[in-house]
Amino acid sequence: MATDLAPNQVVPPAAEVKQAPPRKPRRPLGRELLRYRWLYVMLLPGLAYFALFKYLPMYGLTIAFKDYVPFLGYSGSQWVGLEHFRELFTGPDFGRLMFNTLLLALLTIVFVFPAPIVVALMLNELRMKVVKRSVQSLIYIPHFLSWTIVASLTYLLFSVDFGVIAGWVHSLTGGPKVDYVAQAGWFRPLIVLQLLWKQTGWGTIIYLAALAGVDSQLYEAARVDGAGRWRQFWHITLPAIQPTIVVMAILTSGHLMDSGFEQIWLMTTSLNRDVADVFDTFVYYVGITQGSFSYATAVGLFKGVIGVVLIFGSNRLAKRLGQRGLF
Amino acid sequence: MARKQTVRYYDSPGSRAFDIANVLLLTGLAVVTVLPLLYVLAGSFASESEISSRPFFLWPQKFVISTYQYIFSTDTFVRALLTTICVTAVGTVVQLLLTLTMAYPLAKRYLPGRALVLNLVIFTLVFSGGMIPTYLVVRDLGLLDNYLALILPLAINPFYLIVVKSFFQELPEALEEAARIDGCNELKVFWWIVLPLSKPIIATFSLFYAVAIWNDYMSPLLYIDDSKKWTLQMIVRQLTAANADSANVLQQLETVSFPEQGLKFAVVVVATLPILLFYPFLQKHFAKGVLIGSVKE
């Protein structure tokens, strides 16, 4: 019977047996270093990159707890403890930033996250290989376009002056012409639409890979047992991509507080600022345009810490629910 | 018997209806994805009056190339285009070089200290200093208004690094052993054995890195104040943004008069075209390259 194919019987495609490295006799470290000197030399430029552009900025986070004055430098500036964080939490912007950021994250989870899963499953059921391949090639394209291009396309299609869609809606409903780009109420729908258009196709790749790894014998066996197409989907296909969905969900949850600086910044106008301001763009305003480096760093650090907590939290949750998790 | 059942179930009316609906829906999705791009392409060749009078078209009534002639006659645009091409070319080479040379030693399971470095790399995927501390590092290095600021801070994408490392781990160790016995040191093994075997992954990640630099808007916004050093994405932004002060931008573009809307279309096309031209050649590689990473990790 098809129902015998419980989810846990499907072996995830990622299962990989690693051979244990051969145990080597311990040698003095100096000789090891000498022996692999070229490998270490090759490692050096990359290490320098990570030290300079990844770990030095992490040390720079200390200015979140200082009043950073450029000519005094990192070490010369005065410690002020948690004052910048107090300023953030009690300030007038915090509630608005939190609301905007979380609402965008929620919309992303509800509308953007499931889209590639649905499309990948639909592509997987396509039996005309030519159609499948051409659809794939076309829906990958937007992923390679910049956010400035996506924003420009949005203006060209939705703005009131000559936007095609604004014109269509106007002629269909007969109502007043709506400037979708300028109106605050249309900011969030447009952001979601942009994300769907740009990322859905590309997002299918990883799910299609998981689907391609499913053992076709499972389908044959199910067919012999009399499982129809729906049953095969429900008991084989869906369980097969479940681990991938969980991993992607964990990764997404780690970015809940990242709203995508470029996208939001490019879509922000003086008219929609109230709904558009999120932590990412706020850090830029306060830090770069107003020069409050310490305060902006504190905001960024708050955001980063929440991100770390979210990613580890969701990973633990996934494991508790019996999933493999990310690490 | 089983075979007969298979045929019958696939031809059941419900299954057929699903197939038809599925093909239609997915084709529709592909069409909706591409239509905006085709419209912009058509619009860039249309006259100003056609853009404002016809609601939507994929073929202009009369082909006009004056917008293209205009933008290629302005210093601002040509300079931005050349800058972007140079920064992308140099940046991609730097990124590939750094990523490949770092990934290779990390692929050697026997290398002492490998796990530590790998963990340091993975940690940067979870946590980072953020925008302001990174900006301060770039500033303190004296890289503001320097093209290097568009390249160096993005020199290694940690995720790509891990994918390339996984790829190297899958290469047959015996080949490298043979070369070593023949007297090659690690550098020679890397250059003569490993790199030639890595063409698909090099092709994939040169595309990804090139696209990332070409499309980068945040770095020029943060690090480049001098408008003479702007990249294409900054120009696109300045010209097409809804809240752009167009009079100001037009002055910067040292202009007399030109079709304003058509110009927006043409600029979008020029900034997009190079990517779409390379895309078909690299497509067969990148699916492979991404899959290596996604299936193994």
Side-chain angles (χ1 to χ4, degrees):
Chain A
M1 289 302 287
T3 42
D4 290 339
L5 291 161
N8 55 4
Q9 279 178 286
V10 178
V11 182
E16 178 195 23
V17 184
K18 284 206 168 122
Q19 279 186 330
R23 198 171 283 268
K24 298 219 162 165
R26 273 205 168 274
R27 258 178 255 134
L29 190 63
R31 266 175 62 190
E32 293 277 286
L33 290 178
L34 194 68
R35 181 180 159 164
Y36 300 124
R37 60 189 178 282
W38 289 116
L39 288 177
Y40 287 113
V41 168
M42 289 171 77
L43 210 50
L44 280 179
L47 278 178
Y49 166 77
F50 277 94
L52 208 52
F53 291 106
K54 297 286 179 184
Y55 281 91
L56 197 55
M58 285 188 211
Y59 166 72
L61 282 170
T62 50
I63 66 166
F65 306 96
K66 291 182 170 189
D67 255 338
Y68 178 71
V69 182
F71 77 92
L72 291 176
Y74 292 105
S75 46
S77 301
Q78 285 293 311
W79 289 98
V80 294
L82 295 174
E83 200 191 296
H84 297 301
F85 293 92
R86 204 171 301 133
E87 191 186 341
L88 170 67
F89 297 141
T90 56
D93 296 310
F94 184 70
R96 192 170 55 96
L97 291 171
M98 200 65 173
F99 179 78
N100 289 342
T101 306
L102 288 182
L103 186 54
L104 276 177
L106 185 73
L107 290 171
T108 309
I109 292 170
V110 173
F111 293 105
V112 182
F113 182 74
I117 303 174
V118 173
V119 174
L121 290 171
M122 285 167 71
L123 280 169
N124 193 51
E125 295 293 330
L126 262 190
R127 283 184 286 147
M128 296 156 79
K129 293 294 161 214
V130 185
V131 179
K132 184 179 174 185
R133 235 170 293 144
S134 13
V135 169
Q136 276 181 279
S137 308
L138 291 177
I139 62 177
Y140 291 164
I141 289 176
H143 172 78
F144 291 96
L145 306 183
S146 69
W147 278 116
T148 63
I149 298 290
V150 177
S152 305
L153 289 174
T154 311
Y155 294 136
L156 293 178
L157 292 171
F158 290 90
S159 73
V160 73
D161 329 326
F162 65 114
V164 173
I165 290 173
W168 278 347
V169 175
H170 169 66
S171 58
L172 275 177
T173 60
K177 250 189 167 184
V178 182
D179 196 348
Y180 296 99
V181 180
Q183 278 193 1
W186 284 98
F187 175 79
R188 293 187 186 108
L190 281 181
I191 292 289
V192 170
L193 205 63
Q194 287 181 334
L195 281 170
L196 281 174
W197 184 74
K198 194 173 190 291
Q199 311 293 22
T200 300
W202 189 250
T204 60
I205 286 189
I206 192 145
Y207 297 108
L208 285 171
L211 288 169
V214 184
D215 190 346
S216 58
Q217 287 186 3
L218 289 173
Y219 289 109
E220 278 162 32
R223 236 173 275 156
V224 170
D225 286 345
R229 223 169 156 183
W230 174 251
R231 286 253 159 177
Q232 290 177 37
F233 166 76
W234 192 250
H235 293 289
I236 302 173
T237 311
L238 215 52
I241 60 166
Q242 195 197 4
T244 312
I245 296 178
V246 171
V247 167
M248 296 311 282
I250 295 170
L251 288 173
T252 309
S253 73
H255 292 287
L256 280 186
M257 300 289 279
D258 303 332
S259 314
F261 171 80
E262 289 192 5
Q263 185 193 11
I264 307 282
W265 171 259
L266 287 162
M267 293 300 291
T268 305
T269 65
S270 49
L271 295 171
N272 63 18
R273 181 146 293 167
D274 273 345
V275 296
D277 271 351
V278 290
F279 285 107
D280 281 320
T281 50
F282 187 71
V283 169
Y284 180 84
Y285 289 132
V286 175
I288 305 296
T289 62
Q290 294 174 13
S292 311
F293 291 129
S294 281
Y295 181 50
T297 305
V299 178
L301 179 58
F302 164 73
K303 206 204 79 172
V305 168
I306 301 271
V308 174
V309 170
L310 282 171
I311 200 164
F312 282 99
S314 55
N315 192 55
R316 272 189 78 169
L317 184 71
K319 280 195 169 162
R320 190 162 291 178
L321 294 175
Q323 302 292 331
R324 290 193 315 146
L326 192 57
F327 34 77
Chain B
M1 193 60 191
R3 177 172 288 248
K4 211 174 176 185
Q5 268 184 346
T6 308
V7 171
R8 199 169 57 209
Y9 116 73
Y10 263 128
D11 286 339
S12 78
S15 172
R16 271 227 158 132
F18 170 79
D19 277 335
I20 293 168
N22 197 17
V23 168
L24 289 179
L25 273 173
L26 285 172
T27 313
L29 183 74
V31 169
V32 169
T33 307
V34 179
L35 269 186
L37 297 173
L38 295 178
Y39 171 60
V40 171
L41 184 64
S44 72
F45 286 106
S47 64
E48 191 70 0
S49 60
E50 190 177 354
I51 293 174
S52 50
S53 61
R54 276 176 85 188
F56 187 83
F57 55 90
L58 297 174
W59 199 261
Q61 283 163 335
K62 200 178 104 205
F63 270 87
V64 175
I65 55 162
S66 55
T67 26
Y68 287 104
Q69 282 171 337
Y70 173 73
I71 57 174
F72 281 108
S73 71
T74 60
D75 281 348
T76 314
F77 185 83
V78 174
R79 187 167 47 221
L81 182 64
L82 291 177
T83 301
T84 312
I85 291 173
C86 291
V87 169
T88 304
V90 175
T92 308
V93 171
V94 170
Q95 289 171 322
L96 272 181
L97 213 65
L98 279 171
T99 306
L100 290 167
T101 50
M102 190 177 187
Y104 181 67
L106 287 181
K108 301 291 165 212
R109 293 212 178 88
Y110 50 76
L111 190 73
R114 166 187 179 267
L116 173 71
V117 177
L118 219 46
N119 282 331
L120 285 173
V121 169
I122 290 169
F123 183 66
T124 64
L125 287 172
V126 185
F127 188 75
S128 77
M131 183 192 286
I132 304 299
T134 312
Y135 170 85
L136 293 176
V137 167
V138 172
R139 189 200 62 183
D140 292 345
L141 289 171
L143 293 180
L144 289 190
D145 269 336
N146 187 324
Y147 294 131
L148 283 177
L150 305 180
I151 296 172
L152 294 182
L154 302 172
I156 296 180
N157 178 324
F159 182 70
Y160 295 173
L161 178 72
I162 291 168
V163 176
V164 176
K165 184 218 73 166
S166 309
F167 175 85
F168 284 158
Q169 268 170 358
E170 300 304 312
L171 291 177
E173 185 69 20
L175 270 175
E176 299 178 28
E177 292 288 334
R180 251 171 245 136
I181 290 167
D182 287 345
C184 283
N185 64 25
E186 293 289 350
L187 279 180
K188 283 183 180 166
V189 171
F190 178 68
W191 188 257
W192 293 110
I193 309 290
V194 174
L195 285 190
L197 289 172
S198 312
K199 276 179 192 148
I201 202 129
I202 292 176
T204 306
F205 286 103
S206 46
L207 173 74
F208 286 177
Y209 271 135
V211 168
I213 295 202
W214 182 276
N215 283 344
D216 189 12
Y217 170 71
M218 192 170 168
S219 305
L221 180 71
L222 279 171
Y223 306 132
I224 307 291
D225 276 335
D226 183 355
S227 65
K228 283 195 158 49
K229 291 181 177 171
W230 271 355
T231 61
L232 209 48
Q233 303 297 333
M234 293 292 278
I235 301 286
V236 171
R237 162 65 173 174
Q238 293 298 320
L239 274 177
T240 61
N243 58 341
D245 180 359
S246 26
N248 201 355
V249 179
L250 303 192
Q251 271 174 7
Q252 283 171 357
L253 276 171
E254 71 241 66
T255 183
V256 260
S257 74
F258 57 86
E260 194 185 332
Q261 305 300 8
L263 187 82
K264 295 182 179 183
F265 286 76
V267 167
V268 169
V269 171
V270 177
T272 314
L273 213 56
I275 290 169
L276 295 189
L277 287 180
F278 280 108
Y279 175 75
F281 298 105
L282 289 158
Q283 201 198 353
K284 62 171 194 265
H285 291 307
F286 75 59
K288 212 168 161 189
V290 173
L291 292 192
I292 289 165
S294 61
V295 179
K296 292 294 174 206
E297 290 305 308

